[in-house]
Amino acid sequence: RSIWIWYQRRVREVDSSGGIVENLLGRMEKYASNLEELVEERTAQLQSEKKKTDDLLESMLPKSVADQLKSGHVVPPEKFECVTIYFSDIVGFTAISSLSKPMEVLDMLNDLYTVFDTCIEKYDCYKVETIGDAYMVVSGLPVRNGNRHAAQIALMSLDFLGCIKTFVISHLPEKKLMIRIGMHSGPVVAGIVGKKMPRYCLFGDTVNTASRMESNGEALKIQMSSQSYGILSEHGGFEIDPREGLIEMKGKGLQQTYWLQGVEKDLNVDNPRHFTDHTALLKRDTSSSQILIDSSKEKKQSIKSKSVVPDIINFNNLNHSDKKSHKVHLNNKEFRS
């Protein structure tokens, strides 16, 4: 631009009468000005389209993984020593589908999972995928968060229960929608699978066990494994009951599992990412975010857990009446990742 101004000044000095050359220079200057505006406009459009593409990619893959792919790097599979996986599905989904048109089923799932997707943004969790009516979430990857993953999934699960209790099926308003929730903690391997429509997938027995926790659960309840129970014991602040009796799980044999009932008022969440108002969550009416414990709860004797290792806390040694009359209150310890 500066060279053009210098050149224009020199031509005017030679052609002081303002003839054809001056007219030509005026036209060229106008063209250059219009060209600059056009370049700026097209550059802005390019940036806008690039942002849309980046947002779409990051909605399909974790941001850290998407950034590596955009940089042209190969994303190798990675092992994570401990994460917590959430599974849920809709109770009686087949029956609801039989009463609905395909488009109505699609609208119902879209409405429900849009609510869940909004809730997830408050927690350090990553939505892996939805398969039919199944919803899968993980915490602790691809960015590790110490042992906060179990607490993040637990809080998110309680939030989901609060949402489901007020959810209305648009084409079946009289039908109450219910979900089963299961969670389990353990090691997994995660990585990109495929080149056409690549997906960030999780592999390992932890995935299967989390799915079993959900499929062997009950409506409007959150069932967890002893591994998740041990991590939440260390965190403290959650109300958890042992499930009565051992549960037979396919490929796992007899398992002791636990019901997540809610949170204690003085729960200390260790600064979870995107969780800006956990106090409001904890003060929320229990009818909207927790499973109600029976009215005789105050008569139950509290058992203070003294260990964070689930294998040491053996509820199988309790007799049948003890299991029904005892409520477990976890130690309220400050969790540190």
Side-chain angles (χ1 to χ4, degrees):
R1 186 70 177 176
S2 59
I3 296 176
W4 167 253
I5 295 174
W6 177 85
Y7 179 74
Q8 186 181 40
R9 186 182 301 114
R10 292 291 298 165
V11 170
R12 285 191 177 124
E13 291 176 356
V14 174
D15 187 22
S16 58
S17 60
I20 298 176
V21 175
E22 179 68 20
N23 188 26
L24 179 61
L25 288 176
R27 289 175 178 270
M28 292 178 65
E29 183 177 6
K30 183 178 180 180
Y31 173 76
S33 178
N34 292 339
L35 183 61
E36 287 180 355
E37 293 178 359
L38 182 61
V39 170
E40 290 178 0
E41 180 182 349
R42 295 295 171 84
T43 301
Q45 292 176 355
L46 178 62
Q47 293 295 331
S48 176
E49 294 302 318
K50 182 179 181 299
K51 186 179 184 304
K52 292 179 182 178
T53 303
D54 291 345
D55 291 344
L56 178 61
L57 183 60
E58 290 173 9
S59 69
M60 299 172 61
L61 299 170
K63 186 178 186 306
S64 58
V65 175
D67 289 342
Q68 292 184 62
L69 291 177
K70 287 186 293 184
S71 301
H73 298 151
V74 176
V75 182
E78 188 175 2
K79 182 177 181 180
F80 296 85
E81 295 302 326
C82 192
V83 302
T84 298
I85 297 177
Y86 162 105
F87 270 100
S88 69
D89 74 351
I90 298 174
V91 178
F93 179 70
T94 303
I96 294 175
S97 298
S98 66
L99 300 174
S100 311
K101 298 177 182 178
M103 189 60 70
E104 291 174 336
V105 174
L106 180 61
D107 289 341
M108 177 190 70
L109 291 177
N110 183 60
D111 291 343
L112 175 63
Y113 292 148
T114 297
V115 172
F116 284 3
D117 291 347
T118 303
C119 288
I120 286 180
E121 294 177 1
K122 296 185 291 184
Y123 306 94
D124 188 7
C125 299
Y126 170 68
K127 174 185 174 183
V128 181
E129 60 183 343
T130 56
I131 306 173
D133 65 319
Y135 195 84
M136 181 181 180
V137 181
V138 64
S139 180
L141 65 76
V143 179
R144 292 172 174 82
N145 58 4
N147 278 345
R148 290 198 298 119
H149 46 82
Q152 292 293 298
I153 291 293
L155 287 169
M156 183 197 73
S157 300
L158 291 169
D159 209 357
F160 282 3
L161 283 183
C163 294
I164 203 70
K165 291 175 180 178
T166 59
F167 183 82
V168 178
I169 304 175
S170 58
H171 67 284
L172 294 172
E174 73 286 351
K175 185 76 174 177
K176 184 64 178 177
L177 195 67
M178 296 185 292
I179 61 173
R180 277 186 302 263
I181 297 176
M183 56 182 285
H184 172 63
S185 304
V188 297
V189 171
I192 297 293
V193 175
K195 294 187 178 296
K196 297 287 186 179
M197 295 182 64
R199 300 299 299 172
Y200 189 70
C201 299
L202 311 183
F203 299 92
D205 188 60
T206 300
V207 179
N208 298 328
T209 303
S211 179
R212 297 282 185 270
M213 288 294 139
E214 175 271 313
S215 60
N216 288 275
E218 297 179 5
L220 296 180
K221 287 191 175 183
I222 304 168
Q223 182 171 229
M224 70 175 68
S225 65
S226 58
Q227 288 80 3
S228 294
Y229 166 75
I231 297 174
L232 289 180
S233 298
E234 182 178 353
H235 187 286
F238 290 90
E239 296 180 355
I240 301 176
D241 285 341
R243 184 171 181 175
E244 182 178 331
L246 299 179
I247 307 301
E248 177 70 32
M249 293 193 177
K250 182 179 179 181
K252 299 295 176 183
L254 295 174
Q255 299 284 321
Q256 174 66 63
T257 62
Y258 304 84
W259 297 123
L260 173 61
Q261 301 286 13
V263 294
E264 297 176 356
K265 293 182 179 180
D266 53 353
L267 173 63
N268 179 20
V269 181
D270 186 30
N271 190 26
R273 189 179 67 185
H274 304 317
F275 192 69
T276 57
D277 189 14
H278 68 270
T279 304
L281 173 66
L282 302 182
K283 291 182 179 179
R284 185 183 299 172
D285 188 284
T286 55
S287 63
S288 65
S289 63
Q290 302 177 14
I291 303 174
L292 293 182
I293 306 167
D294 66 70
S295 59
S296 62
K297 153 180 162 179
E298 64 276 4
K299 298 179 182 179
K300 296 182 180 180
Q301 179 180 355
S302 297
I303 300 176
K304 292 294 183 179
S305 170
K306 297 181 180 180
S307 171
V308 300
V309 182
D311 293 336
I312 296 177
I313 306 171
N314 188 359
F315 286 96
N316 298 332
N317 294 333
L318 298 176
N319 59 38
H320 180 74
S321 60
D322 287 335
K323 289 178 181 177
K324 294 183 66 176
S325 63
H326 284 76
K327 177 174 180 59
V328 178
H329 290 275
L330 304 179
N331 288 340
N332 182 23
K333 298 179 180 179
E334 181 181 0
F335 172 79
R336 300 186 184 278
S337 61

